[in-house]
């Protein structure tokens, strides 16, 4: 997860949120000639990170996109297990890293959120059902946050799924980044 751990075992070295939000952009911007506008994207857990980071830092990103993101980790066994390890047992603290909770409370500018989810993803349905995209869509609708969430028939959780739609995601980001220049 893209979070800063608070438990004794992980808090010293597991600060992925700070790394992605602060350290990585600083390294990129100080070593490469890049535009002053950013977008963020990811797949699965990275998609979850992209959503939560953008929702917590809307002034930093022109757009956000995700492939098969984990949307509601506080409500699924795998997420609860991981959040407990990194953040302890205070379930209220977990909400700051749950895309559903964040989008439900979001009041910022349009983040131009684009998500793609494969209908044949083994993490989507049945006993596994760890992604919870319908919960994210419902939370966004409740709060009036615009989201383009596309269900892609027959695609699973694989590289092939991402490679099939990455060009559309790059075009999405290019459009909104260019609009801010």
């Amino acid at each position: 997860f893209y979070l800063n751990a608070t438990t004794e075992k992980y808090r010293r070295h597991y600060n992925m949120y700070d790394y992605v939000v602060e350290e990585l952009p600083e390294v990129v911007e100080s070593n490469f000639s890049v535009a002053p506008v950013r977008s963020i994207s990811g797949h699965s857990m990275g998609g979850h990170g992209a959503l939560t980071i953008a929702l917590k830092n809307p002034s930093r990103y022109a757009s956000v996109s995700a492939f098969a993101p984990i949307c509601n980790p506080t409500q699924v066994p795998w997420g609860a297990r991981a959040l407990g390890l990194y953040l302890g047992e205070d379930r209220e603290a977990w909400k700051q890293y749950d895309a559903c909770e964040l989008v439900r409370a979001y009041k910022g500018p349009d983040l131009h959120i684009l998500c793609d989810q494969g209908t044949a993803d083994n993490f989507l349905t049945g006993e596994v059902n760890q992604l919870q995209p319908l919960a994210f869509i419902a939370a966004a609708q409740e709060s009036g946050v615009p989201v383009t969430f596309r269900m892609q028939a027959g695609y699973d959780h694989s590289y092939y799924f991402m490679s099939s739609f990455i060009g559309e995601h790059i075009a999405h980001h290019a459009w909104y980044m260019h609009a801010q220049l």
Side-chain angles (χ1 to χ4, degrees):
F1 282 96
Y2 295 87
L3 55 77
N4 289 335
T6 58
T7 60
E8 184 63 36
K9 183 175 181 178
Y10 294 103
R11 71 174 164 222
R12 183 166 179 220
H13 298 291
Y14 199 93
N15 296 292
M16 293 301 294
Y17 178 84
D18 284 349
Y19 174 72
V20 172
V21 174
E22 302 294 335
E23 294 177 36
L24 182 60
E26 183 180 312
V27 168
V28 170
E29 291 164 2
S30 61
N31 289 288
F32 300 98
S33 177
V34 294
V37 181
R38 299 182 189 118
S39 287
I40 189 167
S41 183
H43 172 246
S44 195
M45 183 176 296
H48 174 263
L51 291 171
T52 60
I53 287 169
L55 287 162
K56 291 171 79 164
N57 300 279
S59 64
R60 293 179 68 99
Y61 304 99
S63 57
V64 57
S65 74
F67 294 92
I70 299 167
C71 295
N72 204 188
T74 62
Q75 301 304 310
V76 296
W78 185 80
R81 188 170 39 255
L83 292 170
L85 284 173
Y86 295 127
L87 301 173
E89 295 307 314
D90 178 4
R91 288 182 172 259
E92 283 299 308
W94 298 2
K95 291 180 178 180
Q96 67 182 310
Y97 297 107
D98 186 302
C100 286
E101 296 291 337
L102 293 171
V103 78
R104 188 174 287 116
Y106 187 73
K107 303 291 184 221
D110 188 351
L111 285 166
H112 312 288
I113 300 170
L114 170 63
C115 296
D116 278 306
Q117 172 66 61
T119 61
D121 190 323
N122 62 314
F123 295 113
L124 180 62
T125 59
E127 291 182 26
V128 179
N129 198 10
Q130 298 287 319
L131 302 178
Q132 301 288 313
L134 297 179
F136 182 75
I137 294 166
Q141 287 175 337
E142 287 172 26
S143 61
V145 175
V147 173
T148 301
F149 209 112
R150 307 180 310 186
M151 300 300 288
Q152 302 293 354
Y155 285 90
D156 61 10
H157 202 79
S158 69
Y159 169 79
Y160 179 72
F161 164 58
M162 284 189 54
S163 68
S164 296
F165 300 100
I166 191 68
E168 294 173 29
H169 283 240
I170 291 169
H172 173 81
H173 292 297
W175 174 266
Y176 289 108
M177 290 173 70
H178 181 73
Q180 287 193 7
L181 292 177

